[in-house]
Amino acid sequence: MSPAGGGRGQRGFTLLEVLASLALFGLVAAAGVTVMAYTADSQDALRARMDRLGAFQRSRALLRADLSQAALRLVRRSDGSNARDAFTGGRPGEAGPLFAFVRHGRENPAAAARASLEYVEYRIVDGRLERSARAAVDGTAPAPARVLVDGIRDARV
C-alpha cells in the first residue's frame, strides 16, 4: 500500500538537525550577549572619561579667564590689615590657598552698584580642585567653594 496523499512520505527535520540548529543558535546568542555587555561597559568607561575631560576643560577655561583678568590690587584681610602681595600662592596641603588674586570682569547682569573686581581663591581640598570667590574684595568671607575637578593628586603653580 502506498501512503495517503500521493505516494510520497512527508519530509521534516530530524531530531539531530533540530538539536544542532539550537546549539548553533545558542552559541550565536551567547556571543551576541557578550558583545553587547562589552559595548555597554565600554560606553560607561567612555562616558566617565568624557565627563572627566569636560570637567578638566571647563576648569582650564575658567582658570584662563580668571588669570587673563588678574588685577594688581592688594586686598584687606578680615582684621583690616593689608595683604602683603597682590597674588598669593602656596603648596597643596598647606593651610592657605593654592593661589589667590583679584580679577576684573565680575559679571553684573542686574547692573547693581558695585565694583567689577572679584577676589578668587583656588584650593586643593581632599583631592578636589575648588574655586571660591568673595562677594566683595576686601575682608569678606568667601562664598561656598565650587568643585572644579576631582581626583587631583598633586599641583604646581
Side-chain angles (χ1 to χ4, degrees):
M1 279 182 126
S2 64
R8 294 179 104 179
Q10 292 183 354
R11 296 193 43 112
F13 295 108
T14 65
L15 180 61
L16 188 60
E17 290 171 334
V18 170
L19 290 176
S21 65
L22 283 175
L24 184 60
F25 176 74
L27 287 173
V28 169
V33 167
T34 303
V35 168
M36 292 297 286
Y38 178 75
T39 302
D41 291 344
S42 295
Q43 282 182 341
D44 290 343
L46 180 62
R47 186 174 297 116
R49 186 165 276 201
M50 293 303 291
D51 289 345
R52 181 145 175 85
L53 180 62
F56 178 75
Q57 288 177 336
R58 283 187 298 277
S59 300
R60 182 176 171 261
L62 185 59
L63 183 60
R64 179 181 218 147
D66 282 346
L67 289 173
S68 68
Q69 296 182 21
L72 290 174
R73 183 187 186 282
L74 295 176
V75 295
R76 283 191 214 106
R77 297 185 186 109
S78 57
D79 63 0
S81 64
N82 282 336
R84 200 179 79 181
D85 298 313
F87 190 97
T88 59
R91 294 185 180 171
E94 290 181 354
L98 184 61
F99 54 94
F101 55 94
V102 175
R103 65 166 284 198
H104 293 284
R106 180 177 173 201
E107 293 181 17
N108 192 1
R114 63 171 172 77
S116 66
L117 297 176
E118 181 177 43
Y119 180 77
V120 179
E121 288 184 350
Y122 284 85
R123 294 178 182 269
I124 294 182
V125 179
D126 296 330
R128 297 182 314 263
L129 178 63
E130 297 180 349
R131 178 189 186 268
S132 61
R134 293 182 185 172
V137 175
D138 293 319
T140 58
R146 175 178 156 198
V147 176
L148 301 177
V149 180
D150 199 3
I152 302 292
R153 289 184 223 122
D154 191 24
R156 281 182 267 168
V157 179

